Amino acid sequence: MQHYAILRLLLAGFFLYVAWPVIPSAVTPEAVLFWGAWLGFFVLVVGANFATLMQMTEPPIMEQDRTGTRQQA
């Protein structure tokens, strides 16, 4: 299920591509705080998805492969 991590990285890269021209125009302290928080979140998203790709962490529960076992009620 590594294709989900790749898709999330591509989406994050697209968001960065769209936001990059606007970031240098931040002049007010609120705008600088917003873009700083946005870039911090971007780094966390990219790092987590690279960790998933390199199999350093377990993928989310909904993306883990099922082994075919069925729970009895």
Side-chain angles (χ1 to χ4, degrees):
M1 294 295 198
Q2 293 181 351
H3 57 281
Y4 288 127
I6 294 171
L7 287 174
R8 285 190 296 261
L9 284 169
L10 289 172
L11 183 63
F14 173 73
F15 286 153
L16 183 65
Y17 173 77
V18 170
W20 194 257
V22 182
I23 293 174
S25 66
V27 291
T28 63
E30 293 85 8
V32 172
L33 180 67
F34 171 77
W35 287 114
W38 192 90
L39 288 172
F41 182 70
F42 173 79
V43 168
L44 287 175
V45 167
V46 169
N49 284 296
F50 271 128
T52 301
L53 282 178
M54 294 187 293
Q55 297 177 350
M56 295 172 66
T57 61
E58 293 286 328
I61 297 295
M62 63 182 284
E63 294 178 10
Q64 291 180 1
D65 292 328
R66 293 186 180 183
T67 58
T69 59
R70 187 172 171 182
Q71 294 179 351
Q72 297 292 328

